[in-house]
Amino acid sequence: MKSLVCTSFGAPPSMVIEERPKPLPRSGYTLIKMHAATVNQLSGQIRRGLFNKAKVPLVLSNDGAGTVEDSDLFQSGTRVAIYGGGQLGITEDGLQQEYVSVKNSHVFELPDTISLDEGAALPINYVTAYQALTRVGRIEAGQTILISGAAGAVGHALIQLSRALGAKPVAVVSSPLKAEAARKSGAAAVVDLSTEILSDVVSSLTAGQGADLAFDPVGGPLLRELIKSVRERGAIVSIGFAGGAESCLDLAEIVVHEKRLLGYDAWLETDEAVSNAFSAIRSFVEKGAVRPVIDSTWTLEEFEKAYERLASRQAIGAILLKA
């Protein structure tokens, strides 16, 4: 079978397609014929050598979708999504290959209402969004929430799930094209940073009070502006750092107004928590409240183009590699 293997990390990394033996069936695991795996910020950071726990050679990607070939839990032919958590594509070979053998606890049957492409974009993006919103942010119906990177795969999930949970999502984007994508996702309002000042728009939308919560997959300099734009005793949930791992914070904003800066890490989720989250997400999918957006699809042989698309930060939705 074909496997896309990262043989050295760095800038640039080295990746090659290798022929490897197809995994054998084993108890407690599901053998899956891969349909597509994601190319996401995590896999991009790992191949650049930003995660000490990752060692080469390594197959990247910790979420995707396919069909069951052999399992002691699922029937053959079942369409499934794979949630790799903090293992697949990080400390163990991931999903950018033709076949994978995955622990049963990391495999979830997909509803019939979405395609395998959409299913590949569901696990990490939507579990991350759901848990950040509910477990960490403790979102409540009626709240106004800010979502940075709103045109990306996680941002799209945050918009859809926050609406499904009764909140009012305000999308924060960097271009008119991304603003239009955020509106299509269901954002109640959009702030285009190319022409607008975040705190001014949020103040106008909230009668000067500020947003209740902010969810930030971007990080970098934008984090400071998000902190400024939430209300007294509001909270910011930091989910990622696509825009930079360092930020200069105004501590007076945090101290004087008792604002909270919280973190979310998918690695800390238990199998039970992921299962419960996926059940909730599945119910939203079946009701039509949630549907992943696909930016682009590429073959394994086109992996460099897929990673170039990721690095451009112009993607609207998920980027997929098809086996």
Side-chain angles (χ1 to χ4, degrees):
M1 68 170 187
K2 292 189 294 185
S3 299
L4 177 58
V5 184
C6 191
T7 56
S8 68
F9 300 141
S14 176
M15 299 182 76
V16 297
I17 294 177
E18 295 181 357
E19 281 293 331
R20 291 186 169 186
K22 179 180 173 182
L24 297 174
R26 51 177 170 162
S27 178
Y29 285 72
T30 296
L31 178 62
I32 299 164
K33 172 71 171 70
M34 288 299 299
H35 173 79
T38 57
V39 172
N40 56 29
Q41 291 297 335
L42 177 62
S43 57
Q45 291 160 358
I46 289 173
R47 80 181 204 133
R48 296 201 307 272
L50 301 182
F51 278 74
N52 292 334
K53 291 184 179 180
K55 307 296 180 185
V56 292
L58 182 68
V59 177
L60 300 175
S61 190
N62 63 345
D63 65 333
T67 55
V68 172
E69 183 149 311
D70 186 90
S71 177
D72 50 15
L73 180 63
F74 300 97
Q75 289 187 347
S76 178
T78 301
R79 302 179 331 131
V80 293
I82 305 159
Y83 177 90
Q87 293 82 45
L88 298 184
I90 306 168
T91 59
E92 303 173 15
D93 280 338
L95 306 180
Q96 292 175 358
Q97 50 189 335
E98 286 188 286
Y99 290 88
V100 293
S101 180
V102 181
K103 287 182 181 179
N104 289 341
S105 58
H106 289 176
V107 181
F108 301 91
E109 185 173 354
L110 286 169
D112 294 334
T113 51
I114 63 173
S115 68
L116 277 173
D117 277 7
E118 292 166 328
L122 197 65
I124 293 293
N125 295 324
Y126 281 81
V127 170
T128 291
Y130 184 81
Q131 292 296 86
L133 289 164
T134 59
R135 179 173 65 79
V136 181
R138 299 185 180 182
I139 190 174
E140 296 178 6
Q143 287 183 323
T144 297
I145 69 167
L146 303 179
I147 299 168
S148 71
V154 174
H156 178 77
L158 286 164
I159 290 173
Q160 288 195 329
L161 287 171
S162 62
R163 281 187 66 93
L165 293 165
K168 301 173 184 177
V170 176
V172 182
V173 297
S174 59
S175 71
L177 181 64
K178 291 183 177 181
E180 181 59 28
R183 291 187 186 95
K184 289 180 180 178
S185 294
V190 178
V191 183
D192 180 355
L193 297 177
S194 68
T195 58
E196 298 173 304
I197 296 173
L198 177 59
S199 58
D200 289 350
V201 177
V202 173
S203 179
S204 177
L205 290 171
T206 61
Q209 297 300 304
D212 297 291
L213 294 164
F215 295 84
D216 182 28
V218 176
L222 183 56
L223 178 59
R224 179 189 177 99
E225 299 306 311
L226 290 169
I227 292 172
K228 184 179 178 181
S229 300
V230 298
R231 63 169 172 80
E232 287 187 349
R233 294 181 174 174
I236 302 88
V237 180
S238 181
I239 299 173
F241 37 86
E246 296 183 0
S247 181
C248 181
L249 305 182
D250 183 349
L251 290 179
E253 279 287 337
I254 295 174
V255 174
V256 174
H257 301 290
E258 294 187 9
K259 298 179 181 181
R260 292 169 293 138
L261 178 58
L262 308 170
Y264 173 80
D265 188 351
W267 291 21
L268 301 181
E269 297 291 3
T270 64
D271 288 348
E272 181 182 9
V274 171
S275 179
N276 291 338
F278 205 89
S279 293
I281 293 162
R282 181 188 173 99
S283 70
F284 288 135
V285 171
E286 291 171 341
K287 293 173 184 175
V290 160
R291 197 174 198 99
V293 168
I294 308 303
D295 173 81
S296 54
T297 61
W298 311 85
T299 66
L300 283 183
E301 289 79 7
E302 296 173 313
F303 67 88
E304 286 294 0
K305 292 181 180 179
Y307 279 100
E308 286 172 8
R309 181 64 176 167
L310 176 71
S312 75
R313 295 188 60 195
Q314 297 303 308
I316 295 174
I319 302 168
L320 303 182
L321 276 182
K322 290 192 172 182

